[in-house]
Amino acid sequence: MTDNRPGRNLRLSFAPIRIPPPFTMPRSASSHVSSQTVDEEDEEDDNIISQQAGYITPTSPAAARRLHSARTSELDLRRRMPSKRHSYDEHSSLLASGDGNMRSYTAPNTGRPRFSRRSSQGSLGMSKNHSRASSWGFHLASALGSGRKFTENGMGESKASIFMDERVWYDQFTSTDWVHDSIADAFRVRDLRARKDLRGRIFAWFDGAQGWILVAIIGCITACVAFFVNISETSIFDYKDGYCKEGWYFSKRKCCYGLNHCPSWESWGERMSITGIERMWIDFIAYVFFVVFFAVGACFLTLITKTEIPSAFSLSTLDENLGADKQKHRGESDDMSQKISLSPTGPAVVDEKPGTMVYYPAAGSGVAEVKVILSGFVVHGYLGLRTLVVKTFALILSVASGLSIGKEGPYVHIATCVGNIACRLFSKYNHNDGKRREILSASAASGVGVAFGAPISGVLFSLEEVSYYFPPKTLFRTFFCCIVAALSLKFLNPYGTGKIVIFEVRYVTDWRSFEMFVFILLGILGGALGALFIKACRLWARTFRRIPSIKRWPVLEVVLVALVTGLASFWNRYTKLAVTELLFELASPCKDNTSGLCPQHGSEILGIVGYLCIAFVIKSILTIITFGIKVPAGIYVPSMVVGGLMGRIVGHLVQYLVFLHPDHPIFGSCPKGGDLEGCITPGVYALVAAGATMCGVTRLSVTLAVILFELTGSLDHVLPFSLSVLVAKWTADALEPLSIYDLLTDMNSYPLLDNKIRPIFTSDLGDITPKVRSHRVIDISNSPLVSAQALRRKLEYLHDAGEIDGGLPVIRHDILVGLIPAPDLQFALDNLEDEEQSLCLMATNVTWHGNVEEEEEREPDPTDFTPYIDPAPVALDIHSPMDLVFQCFVKLGLRYICVLRDGQYAGLVHKKAFVKYVKELEEAGSTDPS
């Protein structure tokens, strides 16, 4: 429907959704000759592509695939029967199926018979009750001759199979078609509710209960995985100091039950006493050895998940490597070289070969990648079973090594893997990528719930940080999933203390009014520290990590970082502790703290401050050089530890100030006499600064304030926590606009449109619309039949341009009549028996002369491509404002938008091209500061 009123620049093409009656035709043995011609420009481009085919790495799993796909339908919505499909895990490469063959697409359902067309010899099977009057030759002659007539009522007479789930599955590194998945699910629900009998009601009830069952299963499994990781890393961590004689699998805490002098625990110096060498040096050597050994073991496990793909996907990496080189896009051959385009619109230069992108799914925390996947970016294997298993065991070793890393960030990735695998239980979520992401949002939230023992914070984390599409029903299910995960871990009791996390603390004293200024100061310092941490990590990665030997052998970097960590951490108690235990000691009040951080007299404060300053410097440097190495590693708790050290230092300094001037009017509300914590509790300062620093690194706001509240359970300190987080975010945004995860997303060129950022546009849609070229469209003006070879050449052109999730508009006399997605076209062409001689029907609104009697049991004709064509692609006028285009891509989740000029087709804008345009606006500073 087009609005031609003056001043209207929005043109949306759509049509009412309906299922037309079956359209059948008898087949004929007649041979036909195509009248479809290919223009000279198309032939020239096709020749260029064919010349390069000898060495260009396919940019799509479909690019090197041949005929006869083996996969069947993903889901027949009419029959509600899931069909057999390949399950993707990390045993299968990204560019091949699990059985070693090239990955094939899902065959669309065949709701009605189709017809075969050949342009030369070869007879077709005769249909029953065949008559020449109703033969395909007769109808073809009628359609191509003067008797041909096309319907003008648009979608009214077009096929509606596109709205059913009758299209191929998502290819690697493509974008989720949110609109199609939503429509497909609506048809599924409609068919399900159409049954009014008892069985139908039971099916409908069970369909509604599947989501609740699934999130409950995910919550329980996530808690079990977290329990296994917690108890395992705690025991292995203490091996660096010694072992328990009562049981080698006991941690020091469990072996000694809190005793200072524990006869059951034996250090390595006591076990391997060597004449002439002090026990301390034996303990030191053993400590460094185990740090390096565990870190290298975690690295080797991580390297198992190494994945290589062609770099034509325009990505740098898929892990937390801030030193990765950004992909350079190949040159463009048309006049769009001056415009914004992520992928080239012309063939690649002959002497330029695409490289290979290498990434490790088990490395890093995976939060940035989970965020991109939840936005609709398809990465097969990143959330697979192999990643789950490898990352779980590698996380145990990496945390046990004593590196400055945390396990809380990887819990988000692990929980999302659990959710992705659990979706295979129900076809409702397994066969619908949009519905699957609702479950993945709940899974990511449960990871935060078990990491911090904060189910409410998990919901807010999913809503604020990682989720792209978060409907109201998902909010409630996410909350339920987090509750189940937290309760399950509470009952499992991994630490034997009744706590979900070690650093859970309780404060019994309230804060005083003069401390508000110190809390604001801590917010400023924490935000600045977080922003400087991001800059330091980026600087370190771009210098040290780009050394050729370090870049070529990731394990070498892990060895060096582990060696430095072991040598520097052994001599200071607070750098030697695990990050979770250190954070607990920093945040604990003195009545729960026996670590030496509680001075008995004011004269002892400065000594403690000096000791903490040394730990602060060491821990800051170790955290910077550790971020991005090839082991599972989180940044949440390490950043909190660095901030906690700073906050504890400030707390003790304020405590010392009160000790020196107890009668000052500012401290008039403090009780006179008593212990030093009667007025100032340094643990509160430590936790406030920890939250502020974590906010500076991750830019979490409400989520972080609630995490701190749930960790302490103190309503009295909600205001200091919230105020420090607020000030920290303002400060960090002023110094470094991007969070650590936004920086990774930006550097790796992920096709993510952040709905939290509003660019300031000064142009319209026409400024980024490439001109129409023959190899980018399917023109059916002369004939509704197009040769399969011509379609294959157009498809190869899209693949060579890196647009494996692009599409080819179908136009007639410059009018847009449909669009066929590239993956669907690839599958349709692969199903042809004789591609060289086949003609493919591409017209979606052809009405043939005469009434054709319906015939049963006819074989589908693979040359009828009309079920693959979307007859109602979203289209906007070329003068549409960019704000409207931005809202369409963000709110609707479109892959591409067709562009019209005065009702005629004027081009197509892909989502990736628009993302790059927005990124360049951000780099130029053209974003709304609000």
Side-chain angles (χ1 to χ4, degrees):
M1 184 175 67
T2 304
D3 191 349
N4 295 321
R5 291 178 293 174
R8 304 292 292 182
N9 55 10
L10 170 62
R11 302 177 186 274
L12 292 175
S13 298
F14 63 93
I17 302 172
R18 67 186 186 86
I19 306 299
F23 176 67
T24 59
M25 280 189 187
R27 293 170 295 170
S28 171
S30 310
S31 300
H32 311 288
V33 179
S34 172
S35 62
Q36 177 72 21
T37 60
V38 182
D39 58 14
E40 297 179 359
E41 182 181 12
D42 199 3
E43 290 179 352
E44 181 180 355
D45 294 333
D46 295 335
N47 292 334
I48 296 176
I49 295 175
S50 61
Q51 292 173 6
Q52 300 172 10
Y55 64 84
I56 291 182
T57 304
T59 59
S60 167
R65 193 178 340 116
R66 292 296 177 259
L67 304 178
H68 304 299
S69 171
R71 293 187 63 183
T72 56
S73 170
E74 287 289 346
L75 182 66
D76 190 337
L77 294 178
R78 298 180 182 85
R79 301 174 183 174
R80 295 182 293 275
M81 291 292 292
S83 62
K84 184 177 181 180
R85 62 183 299 270
H86 291 298
S87 60
Y88 287 95
D89 54 26
E90 296 202 11
H91 291 288
S92 36
S93 65
L94 292 176
L95 301 181
S97 59
D99 55 1
N101 299 324
M102 293 303 295
R103 179 177 177 272
S104 55
Y105 294 101
T106 305
N109 293 334
T110 55
R112 55 183 176 77
R114 303 174 190 147
F115 318 99
S116 296
R117 283 162 288 280
R118 308 291 180 201
S119 55
S120 62
Q121 73 275 5
S123 60
L124 305 176
M126 303 294 291
S127 60
K128 296 179 181 180
N129 303 322
H130 173 74
S131 64
R132 188 167 298 277
S134 60
S135 68
W136 170 250
F138 174 81
H139 292 296
L140 178 65
S142 300
L144 301 181
S146 59
R148 177 188 61 195
K149 63 179 181 179
F150 296 97
T151 59
E152 301 296 338
N153 55 351
M155 280 290 296
E157 296 295 328
S158 64
K159 302 177 180 67
S161 62
I162 189 65
F163 295 110
M164 307 296 285
D165 198 8
E166 295 185 352
R167 53 102 176 97
V168 302
W169 194 238
Y170 292 108
D171 201 352
Q172 181 73 286
F173 294 100
T174 59
S175 299
T176 299
D177 194 342
W178 296 93
V179 175
H180 189 286
D181 284 351
S182 177
I183 295 174
D185 188 67
F187 271 87
R188 183 191 62 81
V189 174
R190 184 200 65 179
D191 293 345
L192 190 64
R193 294 180 178 178
R195 297 185 58 176
K196 301 300 182 180
D197 56 344
L198 179 59
R199 180 176 295 180
R201 294 179 183 273
I202 294 176
F203 285 162
W205 175 87
F206 180 69
D207 181 79
Q210 286 179 7
W212 299 101
I213 297 173
L214 197 56
V215 295
I217 293 174
I218 292 170
C220 292
I221 296 177
T222 301
C224 293
V225 174
F227 170 78
F228 174 71
V229 173
N230 289 341
I231 61 174
S232 300
E233 64 90 5
T234 304
S235 300
I236 299 177
F237 185 91
D238 291 333
Y239 284 162
K240 300 192 299 294
D241 296 326
Y243 70 100
C244 183
K245 292 185 290 185
E246 295 182 357
W248 61 269
Y249 47 86
F250 286 156
S251 64
K252 187 174 182 179
R253 180 190 299 268
K254 191 172 183 179
C255 183
C256 299
Y257 296 100
L259 298 176
N260 293 330
H261 178 70
C262 181
S264 299
W265 184 262
E266 187 174 18
S267 67
W268 296 113
E270 296 172 349
R271 177 65 176 176
M272 299 180 294
S273 59
I274 302 177
T275 305
I277 301 179
E278 296 183 6
R279 292 182 178 180
M280 180 186 66
W281 291 106
I282 297 178
D283 290 335
F284 172 68
I285 295 173
Y287 180 85
V288 174
F289 169 78
F290 279 109
V291 169
V292 176
F293 178 75
F294 291 150
V296 171
C299 181
F300 278 123
L301 285 177
T302 302
L303 296 182
I304 292 177
T305 62
K306 179 180 179 180
T307 307
E308 296 180 276
I309 62 169
S311 63
F313 292 108
S314 300
L315 303 179
S316 297
T317 180
L318 274 169
D319 50 46
E320 296 173 349
N321 185 4
L322 290 173
D325 296 323
K326 298 188 72 171
Q327 292 294 320
K328 297 181 180 179
H329 309 301
R330 289 171 286 173
E332 300 174 358
S333 60
D334 56 14
D335 61 351
M336 268 302 293
S337 60
Q338 303 297 325
K339 297 185 179 181
I340 309 300
S341 179
L342 181 67
S343 55
T345 57
V349 182
V350 175
D351 59 352
E352 183 178 355
K353 296 183 180 181
T356 301
M357 184 187 83
V358 179
Y359 70 94
Y360 306 88
S365 65
V367 175
E369 288 72 26
V370 167
K371 179 179 180 180
V372 174
I373 291 174
L374 289 182
S375 72
F377 193 50
V378 179
V379 184
H380 293 306
Y382 198 84
L383 302 178
L385 179 61
R386 189 178 186 184
T387 300
L388 172 63
V389 175
V390 173
K391 190 157 191 172
T392 299
F393 285 97
L395 179 62
I396 294 173
L397 293 178
S398 63
V399 175
S401 66
L403 296 174
S404 186
I405 58 177
K407 57 182 181 245
E408 287 71 22
Y411 275 166
V412 176
H413 186 193
I414 290 174
T416 310
C417 291
V418 172
N420 182 65
I421 297 170
C423 283
R424 302 173 187 174
L425 296 175
F426 302 108
S427 60
K428 170 183 176 180
Y429 298 99
N430 191 28
H431 296 149
N432 191 302
D433 222 44
K435 298 288 292 181
R436 179 197 296 265
R437 272 153 178 75
E438 297 180 16
I439 300 300
L440 296 185
S441 297
S443 304
S446 67
V448 174
V450 298
F452 294 99
I456 300 176
S457 302
V459 179
L460 295 176
F461 172 82
S462 180
L463 180 61
E464 181 181 358
E465 179 67 17
V466 296
S467 292
Y468 187 83
Y469 176 66
F470 207 78
K473 63 179 180 181
T474 303
L475 176 67
F476 196 23
R477 287 178 181 172
T478 302
F479 182 56
F480 177 67
C481 184
C482 291
I483 291 294
V484 171
L487 283 177
S488 300
L489 191 59
K490 180 81 171 179
F491 293 146
L492 291 173
N493 194 14
Y495 302 110
T497 59
K499 297 180 180 180
I500 299 179
V501 292
I502 292 180
F503 47 90
E504 181 180 339
V505 295
R506 291 291 181 266
Y507 300 122
V508 295
T509 58
D510 197 358
W511 56 279
R512 290 167 175 80
S513 56
F514 72 88
E515 294 181 279
M516 183 63 67
F517 300 100
V518 186
F519 295 147
I520 295 175
L521 176 62
L522 289 176
I524 296 174
L525 294 177
L529 189 61
L532 293 176
F533 171 80
I534 295 174
K535 294 180 181 295
C537 286
R538 180 166 46 188
L539 178 62
W540 172 260
R542 290 180 175 179
T543 54
F544 177 77
R545 200 163 289 152
R546 287 187 176 180
I547 298 174
S549 57
I550 299 296
K551 189 176 181 179
R552 187 178 303 115
W553 296 298
V555 68
L556 178 60
E557 181 186 9
V558 174
V559 171
L560 294 177
V561 171
L563 186 62
V564 172
T565 301
L567 295 175
S569 300
F570 180 80
W571 310 102
N572 190 296
R573 182 181 186 276
Y574 303 121
T575 57
K576 190 177 180 181
L577 283 174
V579 288
T580 52
E581 295 184 5
L582 177 57
L583 183 59
F584 172 74
E585 292 195 0
L586 293 173
S588 297
C590 281
K591 67 181 185 63
D592 300 329
N593 201 328
T594 59
S595 62
L597 286 177
C598 295
Q600 302 300 321
H601 191 267
S603 59
E604 302 176 3
I605 294 178
L606 294 181
I608 295 176
V609 169
Y611 202 65
L612 289 174
C613 287
I614 296 175
F616 171 74
V617 173
I618 294 176
K619 210 66 179 176
S620 299
I621 296 175
L622 291 180
T623 304
I624 291 171
I625 66 175
T626 305
F627 182 82
I629 64 175
K630 294 300 181 287
V631 297
I635 195 61
Y636 289 155
V637 173
S639 64
M640 294 181 71
V641 164
V642 174
L645 287 167
M646 179 190 67
R648 189 82 187 194
I649 293 171
V650 173
H652 282 299
L653 291 178
V654 175
Q655 196 178 52
Y656 186 68
L657 190 62
V658 174
F659 170 74
L660 293 179
H661 307 282
D663 298 328
H664 197 280
I666 297 179
F667 310 130
S669 59
C670 294
K672 306 302 179 183
D675 58 354
L676 294 174
E677 269 203 351
C679 183
I680 302 298
T681 305
V684 175
Y685 291 73
L687 200 57
V688 167
T693 306
M694 181 178 170
C695 175
V697 174
T698 64
R699 306 303 158 84
L700 292 173
S701 54
V702 180
T703 301
L704 192 50
V706 178
I707 285 177
L708 298 178
F709 162 67
E710 292 188 89
L711 283 176
T712 60
S714 175
L715 287 173
D716 297 332
H717 293 86
V718 171
L719 185 58
F721 295 151
S722 304
L723 184 62
S724 64
V725 168
L726 183 65
V727 174
K729 189 170 183 358
W730 284 339
T731 305
D733 288 339
L735 297 177
E736 174 61 52
L738 300 178
S739 70
I740 190 68
Y741 297 125
D742 293 335
L743 182 62
L744 289 168
T745 302
D746 181 66
M747 292 187 64
N748 295 336
S749 301
Y750 295 147
L752 172 66
L753 273 178
D754 193 351
N755 50 11
K756 303 180 183 66
I757 298 177
R758 184 175 181 83
I760 300 176
F761 298 107
T762 57
S763 58
D764 55 24
L765 182 56
D767 293 333
I768 63 171
T769 303
K771 76 172 187 179
V772 180
R773 297 179 65 89
S774 59
H775 48 258
R776 290 279 182 167
V777 298
I778 301 175
D779 193 349
I780 60 172
S781 301
N782 298 326
S783 169
L785 302 179
V786 183
S787 68
Q789 286 184 311
L791 293 176
R792 175 68 71 177
R793 288 192 291 266
K794 295 176 186 291
L795 182 65
E796 290 176 351
Y797 193 93
L798 284 183
H799 288 169
D800 181 68
E803 297 184 11
I804 58 177
D805 56 348
L808 291 173
V810 182
I811 61 174
R812 180 189 294 116
H813 302 296
D814 296 329
I815 302 299
L816 179 67
V817 296
L819 185 144
I820 181 168
D824 300 56
L825 178 60
Q826 176 68 49
F827 169 77
L829 291 174
D830 285 351
N831 275 343
L832 296 178
E833 296 180 358
D834 187 4
E835 184 175 317
E836 296 182 356
Q837 306 297 333
S838 296
L839 301 177
C840 307
L841 178 63
M842 303 299 298
T844 61
N845 52 352
V846 178
T847 299
W848 308 96
H849 278 297
N851 295 326
V852 182
E853 298 180 358
E854 296 184 7
E855 299 182 13
E856 298 179 356
E857 298 182 357
R858 289 187 174 180
E859 296 181 358
D861 186 355
T863 60
D864 184 3
F865 284 11
T866 53
Y868 306 92
I869 298 176
D870 180 1
V874 177
L876 296 177
D877 190 83
I878 198 170
H879 300 295
S880 299
M882 278 297 184
D883 291 279
L884 176 61
V885 180
F886 179 80
Q887 294 298 330
C888 288
F889 275 120
V890 170
K891 300 297 176 61
L892 298 180
L894 302 176
R895 283 181 173 176
Y896 31 67
I897 290 179
C898 296
V899 184
L900 306 180
R901 180 190 288 111
D902 298 328
Q904 295 183 338
Y905 177 76
L908 182 143
V909 176
H910 197 279
K911 178 181 179 181
K912 295 178 181 178
F914 186 75
V915 169
K916 187 171 188 297
Y917 171 69
V918 173
K919 293 296 183 184
E920 294 192 358
L921 288 181
E922 294 177 8
E923 293 176 0
S926 299
T927 54
D928 190 350
S930 60

